[in-house]
Amino acid sequence: MSERAKRLSRRNFLLAAGAGGVATAAAIVAKNPPPSESSDKSKRATRGYHASEHVNNYYRTTKV
């Protein structure tokens, strides 16, 4: 195999690998649509920390 053929083969491989990566990224972006505004409204109004029964039980059992 000549030096020129080796270089072209290597270049073609790298070109194909780069194109495959770009195509994969485009497919992932196209698969996941941006979130809509209606999904925010469906979430619960209360967020954050809640001292529930099992949390209070844990705190009670860890007292020294």
Side-chain angles (χ1 to χ4, degrees):
M1 203 180 221
S2 70
E3 185 66 31
R4 179 180 163 94
K6 284 182 184 177
R7 263 190 278 137
L8 288 177
S9 176
R10 213 174 287 147
R11 286 180 186 167
N12 288 338
F13 171 75
L14 293 174
L15 180 64
V22 170
T24 302
I28 290 171
V29 169
K31 181 181 168 186
N32 299 330
S36 63
E37 293 295 323
S38 63
S39 66
D40 292 337
K41 294 177 184 177
S42 66
K43 292 183 181 178
R44 296 185 328 186
T46 58
R47 298 182 103 158
Y49 178 81
H50 296 285
S52 61
E53 182 66 32
H54 73 280
V55 172
N56 291 333
N57 186 35
Y58 172 77
Y59 289 150
R60 184 182 51 77
T61 60
T62 57
K63 290 182 182 178
V64 177

